[in-house]
């Protein structure tokens, strides 16, 4: 199999959902945060659905950076930032994990 969702597809999903993290309804914000957590967990996963490990690692890094940028922008403009802050912490942890994994490969 090849990589299933590209960065542009995930960027569209992220852009569409991130608006909902500022919804007045706390339940909606919570569910959207769960979706983002799942997307980040997929990036964390070693089962990468790619034939090419280098391609997979590069794509994961691009997805993580894209999500990091969008969450940071949203953090500045949204009224409700609790979930965004948590997601940013999740991204920071994920970046550390990937860096450590890359160090082991080298």
């Amino acid at each position: 199999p090849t990589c299933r969702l590209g960065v542009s597809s995930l960027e569209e999903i992220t852009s569409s959902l991130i608006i909902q993290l500022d919804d007045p309804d706390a339940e909606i914000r919570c569910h959207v945060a769960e979706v983002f957590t799942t997307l980040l967990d997929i990036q964390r996963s070693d089962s990468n659905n790619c034939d090419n490990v280098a391609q997979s690692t590069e794509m994961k890094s691009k997805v993580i950076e894209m999500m990091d940028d969008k969450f940071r922008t949203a953090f500045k403009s949204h009224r409700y930032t609790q979930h965004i802050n948590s997601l940013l912490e999740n991204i920071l942890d994920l970046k550390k994990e990937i860096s450590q994994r890359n160090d082991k490969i080298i």
Side-chain angles (χ1 to χ4, degrees), residues 32-92:
V32 170
E34 289 173 3
V35 170
F36 280 127
T37 299
T38 300
L39 287 174
L40 290 171
D41 286 344
I42 291 169
Q43 303 311 311
R44 177 176 277 117
S45 170
D46 284 331
S47 58
N48 50 41
N49 293 326
C50 287
D51 294 332
N52 184 328
V53 174
Q55 177 187 1
S56 171
T57 302
E58 180 181 345
M59 188 184 104
K60 286 180 182 188
S61 294
K62 287 180 180 179
V63 168
I64 293 163
E65 286 303 320
M66 175 273 298
M67 291 179 86
D68 187 38
D69 289 344
K70 292 201 173 288
F71 291 147
R72 288 183 187 284
T73 300
F75 188 81
K76 294 174 188 173
S77 63
H78 282 44
R79 295 168 293 185
Y80 307 103
T81 58
Q82 178 185 3
H83 291 295
I84 297 171
N85 191 48
S86 177
L87 291 165
L88 285 168
E89 289 174 9
N90 194 342
I91 285 176
L92 182 60

Side-chain angles (χ1 to χ4, degrees), residues 20-34 79-83:
Q20 301 305 316
L21 285 174
D22 204 32
D23 193 285
D25 186 332
E27 188 173 353
I28 289 174
R29 292 193 308 270
C30 185
H31 289 301
V32 170
E34 289 173 3
R79 295 168 293 185
Y80 307 103
T81 58
Q82 178 185 3
H83 291 295

Side-chain angles (χ1 to χ4, degrees), residues 90-106:
N90 194 342
I91 285 176
L92 182 60
D93 290 342
L94 185 53
K95 285 181 176 183
K96 288 177 187 175
E97 288 174 26
I98 289 173
S99 177
Q100 289 172 351
R101 213 176 296 152
N102 288 342
D103 289 346
K104 288 180 183 178
I105 293 172
I106 296 173

